Amino acid sequence: MNEQQFIPKKYSNTIDTGKFSWSSPSNIALVKYWGKKQDQLPENPSISFTLENCKTITTLSFSNRNLTSDFSFDIYLDNEKKDDFKPKIETFFKRIEVYLPFLKNYHFVIETTNTFPHSSGIASSASGMSALAMCLMSLEKQLNPEMTTSYFNQKASFLARLGSGSACRSVEGDLIVWGHHENIEGSTNLYGIKYPYEVHDIFKNYQDTILLVDKGEKQVSSTVGHNLMHNHPFASERFKQAHENLDELIQVLKNGDVNSFINIVESEALTLHAMMMTSLPYFILMKPNTLEIINKIWKFRNNTGLPISFTLDAGANVHVLYPEKHAAPILEFIKNELVAYCQNGHYICDKIGFGAKQL
Ligand code: DP6
């Protein structure tokens, strides 16, 4: 497997104008991606649940134009022109141009909206970059109608990765592995693949209630955080640990051992934040209420024996994970005891989903 497979040969078709719409979800990592080489090549493999409700909906309209040396596009969020998003898209287009050589032949209008509030602390880069990658692949499929669905999805994930690493895990569901792991067949640093082994019923329809602890802009972006893993004193041990955790997770996912699942997932979340706290410069993204929630979850789990757990992404919000069959008492607990720690009492009920959809 290498990048060359995504450089197209001559296209058999032409198309002048058109438009495609896709919705693409966010995802939540169980084993975390934290640390990368150039172009979002990950330092360790990661695995995530694809989500269902938190998603970006993007419409890409295109019209042929005379080739010039620049990209030509406008971008709108919720019908409002967003010129401040342009540099990020420009960088993305530059990175993927060799794989989509038609990019400069068109003027694009990108219209995008998120199902979750913009100021929710939920990153829209995974859902946003994957939705745009899907739209671009729909255009490429028009130019090359023989393209197979598996190539379409692989290349969409590959392109999404070049926009934002974790975006490559949003194309499909329900469990996605990204990054080479010696015991996971087909796993690669280039794009996400569907987890290829047996998964116990307890992990189907897993619930993720996202507690919005802090809806503000993060003080440290993920990209800066990833880069602080270069020369990090614990980096090599951490990368090794991610391989081991994924190895263990293969057994756990198969035999339905929820307690071991909880240990791996919570340790991964806290290790991610420990890496941030031990970087130079160091930083903390958790808030006091993040810790309040974690302690409440542990107490409730001890008292009830219910398999509730948490994970964190690069922010203060808490993802509460639990099997669907225990949803009633756990939701009750969340409403009665955890929502008080959320900013303005806001939380989002989500669950495992199955990836991007064409609209
Ligand atoms: C903590 O994918 O947002 O959510 O590749 O620089 O765009 P870039 O970073 P991003 O990093 C996400 C990191 C994480 C863990 C994870 O999703 O695996």
Side-chain angles (χ1 to χ4, degrees), residues 11 36 50 54 56-57 59 97 102 131 231 234 273 287 303 350:
Y11 293 124
K36 63 175 171 181
T50 303
C54 289
T56 298
I57 295 154
T59 297
E97 191 188 2
F102 57 79
N231 304 319
F234 308 132
H273 284 258
K287 297 283 179 194
N303 292 343
D350 212 332

Side-chain angles (χ1 to χ4, degrees), residues 39-315:
D39 289 345
Q40 284 73 251
L41 288 168
E43 290 280 11
N44 64 260
S46 57
I47 186 167
S48 53
F49 279 147
T50 303
L51 295 181
E52 172 72 15
N53 299 329
C54 289
K55 51 193 180 196
T56 298
I57 295 154
T58 296
T59 297
L60 178 77
S61 314
F62 52 93
S63 47
N64 214 323
R65 62 178 198 136
N66 290 331
L67 187 74
T68 67
S69 55
D70 293 324
F71 298 112
S72 173
F73 64 94
D74 290 310
I75 177 149
Y76 296 81
L77 174 67
D78 298 330
N79 300 318
E80 205 180 297
K81 204 159 185 243
K82 281 281 181 191
D83 286 341
D84 48 326
F85 286 8
K86 286 190 105 171
K88 198 166 177 184
I89 302 296
E90 178 96 23
T91 305
F92 177 53
F93 279 2
K94 273 189 198 139
R95 278 192 197 141
I96 63 173
E97 191 188 2
V98 55
Y99 306 107
L100 298 177
F102 57 79
L103 282 179
K104 283 184 180 154
N105 299 355
Y106 294 99
H107 173 72
F108 295 104
V109 176
I110 304 163
E111 292 164 285
T112 185
T113 181
N114 298 320
T115 58
F116 46 90
H118 185 53
S119 56
S120 60
I122 297 182
S124 58
S125 61
S127 52
M129 283 298 176
S130 53
L132 182 54
M134 297 310 278
C135 290
L136 290 167
M137 283 309 295
S138 283
L139 171 49
E140 188 174 53
K141 191 169 162 60
Q142 293 277 307
L143 299 169
N144 171 21
E146 288 86 51
M147 185 186 294
T148 64
T149 305
S150 91
Y151 180 87
F152 184 107
N153 285 338
Q154 255 178 29
K155 184 163 175 180
S157 172
F158 171 82
L159 296 175
R161 189 204 91 226
L162 290 167
S164 174
S166 56
C168 77
R169 298 189 312 234
S170 281
V171 169
E172 293 180 274
D174 43 355
L175 264 169
I176 301 293
V177 177
W178 166 43
H180 178 70
H181 186 283
E182 62 171 355
N183 293 329
I184 301 181
E185 226 182 301
S187 61
T188 162
N189 291 341
L190 298 181
Y191 49 83
I193 61 160
K194 275 168 89 76
Y195 177 71
Y197 304 125
E198 197 183 331
V199 177
H200 192 277
D201 277 349
I202 192 90
F203 298 116
K204 311 247 164 93
N205 295 321
Y206 230 68
Q207 308 289 299
D208 178 3
T209 303
I210 309 166
L211 304 179
L212 305 178
V213 170
D214 186 54
K215 304 198 239 166
E217 192 90 357
K218 284 186 286 191
Q219 309 99 307
V220 182
S221 74
S222 287
T223 300
V224 170
H226 283 292
N227 287 337
L228 291 174
M229 289 303 280
H230 298 137
N231 304 319
H232 190 293
F234 308 132
S236 64
E237 275 306 303
R238 159 60 199 153
F239 301 146
K240 198 168 132 235
Q241 179 199 43
H243 282 266
E244 289 161 5
N245 280 344
L246 202 39
D247 230 352
E248 213 183 316
L249 206 52
I250 296 172
Q251 295 313 314
V252 167
L253 288 171
K254 185 172 165 193
N255 61 26
D257 176 357
V258 190
N259 290 330
S260 301
F261 176 84
I262 291 173
N263 289 340
I264 295 168
V265 168
E266 292 189 348
S267 164
E268 276 288 324
L270 294 178
T271 301
L272 167 69
H273 284 258
M275 290 300 112
M276 298 173 189
M277 289 191 253
T278 47
S279 311
L280 277 177
Y282 42 79
F283 59 105
I284 301 181
L285 296 183
M286 290 187 285
K287 297 283 179 194
N289 281 352
T290 312
L291 296 180
E292 294 283 0
I293 290 169
I294 290 173
N295 280 308
K296 287 261 177 182
I297 288 174
W298 284 342
K299 201 164 153 204
F300 178 76
R301 188 163 76 218
N302 268 338
N303 292 343
T304 62
L306 290 172
I308 180 174
S309 59
F310 73 86
T311 188
L312 307 167
D313 55 18

